[in-house]
Amino acid sequence: MPVLPNHFKRALAAQVPQIGLWSTLPDPYISEIVAGAGFDWMLLDTEHTPTEVPQMLRQLQAVAAAVPMDATRRTSAVVRPDWNDTVLIKRYLDIGAQSLLLPFVQNAAEAQTAVRATRYAPQGVRGMGGSVRAANFGRIRDYVKGAQEELCVLVQVETREALDHLEEIAAVDGIDGVFIGPADLSASLGHPGEPNHPEVRSAIDDAIRCIRALGKAPGILMLDETRARECLELGALFVAVAMDLQILARGAEAAAARFASHRPAAADIAY
């Protein structure tokens, strides 16, 4: 039995744009619903959610079990650990994550640390575990030899310092893509909460062009549809254009607002 192919990694290598959804609702039921919606990829977050490794295992199982409307277009899971930590990376790889997005990478040395954490010795420091879920519990006999070919390593640049080292980060062997974090970047550039500030927009545009020119895949989360399309036109290859929490929260608010006129004011209700 061969190592399972990573279709997301192969699409990025072929420079085929991948449209994704950012998932911050840590529940397998939601993961399965979203994974069947028709996106190319979905980000399963642990950095800004209460998700731990056992919960992520169930989410990965749910994504794998999802039945998409178009059976030929399955959604790939990308897991974001809460830090660029060797032990965390090992644990997420062992439960079957094939694509990782490592946050707050500031320089080439930190990018190299991320890559080494995904490789077995002598190329890296990933601990050996022959009967883990990633190896189909030992049924993929050559998993150790072939695993790294199907692992996708994405690093996140989200500060002025990281942008200053962008070329060095993107040039690290083993890095498949570089994700630009617009929220943290806007704060680092002195414009917190303003991802559309001209200085921030210019920095993002330049970063996308630079990453593509270096032969790596640029990525971004951009909920503004017009701006998301601009990023794709600039060369971004993996773009998250929606967030499950936002869809639920804003959708619920909009439904309530449509019937607001039929509800008495709270002051008029006798409790």
Side-chain angles (χ1 to χ4, degrees), residues 115-126 128 144-145 148:
V115 173
R116 284 178 54 78
T118 68
R119 271 49 173 172
Y120 292 113
Q123 290 81 19
V125 296
R126 180 182 175 186
M128 300 287 280
V144 171
K145 295 180 180 178
Q148 75 178 51

Side-chain angles (χ1 to χ4, degrees), residues 264-271:
D268 297 333
I269 301 175
Y271 290 100

Side-chain angles (χ1 to χ4, degrees), residues 107-262:
N107 51 54
E110 293 180 2
Q112 290 165 350
T113 296
V115 173
R116 284 178 54 78
T118 68
R119 271 49 173 172
Y120 292 113
Q123 290 81 19
V125 296
R126 180 182 175 186
M128 300 287 280
S131 298
V132 296
R133 180 174 182 264
N136 196 12
F137 310 104
R139 298 180 184 115
I140 302 176
R141 301 194 181 279
D142 290 330
Y143 176 78
V144 171
K145 295 180 180 178
Q148 75 178 51
E149 299 302 320
E150 300 299 338
L151 296 181
C152 183
V153 181
L154 311 169
V155 294
Q156 189 164 324
V157 295
E158 45 194 329
T159 65
R160 187 187 298 273
E161 179 183 346
L163 289 184
D164 289 342
H165 297 286
L166 180 58
E167 291 190 19
E168 303 158 32
I169 292 170
V172 170
D173 186 38
I175 296 296
D176 296 287
V178 180
F179 179 89
I180 304 158
D184 285 292
L185 180 59
S186 65
S188 178
L189 294 177
H191 310 288
E194 299 182 68
N196 280 316
H197 187 280
E199 183 182 2
V200 181
R201 289 174 65 98
S202 178
I204 290 173
D205 291 356
D206 290 344
I208 291 173
R209 295 189 188 99
C210 176
I211 297 163
R212 269 304 284 271
L214 291 166
K216 301 297 173 72
I220 196 166
L221 165 64
M222 188 56 63
L223 302 185
D224 180 300
E225 182 176 344
T226 299
R227 181 62 173 147
R229 294 183 185 277
E230 288 177 357
C231 291
L232 285 162
E233 291 171 3
L234 284 167
L237 285 174
F238 61 108
V239 180
V241 300
M243 181 184 293
D244 57 1
L245 186 149
Q246 292 281 354
I247 292 171
L248 177 60
R250 302 293 86 81
E253 292 161 3
R258 288 197 295 272
F259 288 88
S261 62
H262 294 275

Side-chain angles (χ1 to χ4, degrees), residues 8 46 67 75 98 121 154 195 205 241 263:
F8 176 73
T46 76
V67 180
T75 299
Q98 283 190 302
L154 311 169
D205 291 356
V241 300
R263 302 165 62 205

